[in-house]
Amino acid sequence: MKKLFLLLFTAFLFIGCSSDDDTIYDYIGTWSGKYTGSDDGTWNLVVASDGKVTGTMHSTVNDENYNISGNLTDTGDLTAVIGLPDDGEFKGTLSREKKGNGNWSNAVPTPARYGTWTGDKK
């Protein structure tokens, strides 16, 4: 009986400790990369344990900084706004493999600018 209990307990541990569970903890930390399109530059984000995202974009064309703020889901879906109040969007996906990509748009300065971004976790 003792051996059966130990066998069932061990099986339960393997089943209950799957590495595929979605958790925000895989994404917490600093992410950075480049963005391109009708403007280009660099971006930096910090993902907090509650999924809040804060950061900046730095335009090498206009030599200006733009705030990024938003949220990240447990599955790595990023939804953020650019500027305060929101003048644009910074959306995409962060992966458990420490890579990220997506699209951005910014209405300031006019005319509106848009493009894509890529990066990784530091």
Side-chain angles (χ1 to χ4, degrees):
M1 183 69 165
K2 196 179 208 181
K3 289 181 183 180
L4 180 61
F5 174 75
L6 185 58
L7 181 62
L8 289 173
F9 180 72
T10 305
F12 175 74
L13 283 178
F14 282 112
I15 293 169
C17 296
S18 172
S19 63
D20 294 334
D21 293 340
D22 292 335
T23 174
I24 197 73
Y25 296 107
D26 294 327
Y27 307 104
I28 294 172
T30 303
W31 295 72
S32 63
K34 296 182 184 276
Y35 68 93
T36 59
S38 49
D39 188 3
D40 59 51
T42 58
W43 60 269
N44 293 288
L45 296 175
V46 175
V47 177
S49 61
D50 62 357
K52 298 274 187 222
V53 175
T54 56
T56 58
M57 288 174 63
H58 176 75
S59 169
T60 56
V61 174
N62 299 315
D63 194 29
E64 293 182 343
N65 292 320
Y66 308 103
N67 292 324
I68 300 172
S69 61
N71 293 293
L72 184 74
T73 67
D74 291 348
T75 57
D77 295 322
L78 172 65
T79 303
V81 295
I82 299 172
L84 297 170
D86 59 352
D87 298 316
E89 296 181 329
F90 195 87
K91 293 184 174 186
T93 305
L94 303 180
S95 74
R96 286 190 174 75
E97 290 76 33
K98 300 182 180 182
K99 299 288 182 191
N101 64 65
N103 299 305
W104 66 272
S105 66
N106 194 3
V108 175
T110 55
R113 302 172 193 305
Y114 54 90
T116 59
W117 59 267
T118 60
D120 51 19
K121 187 175 180 185
K122 300 301 176 197

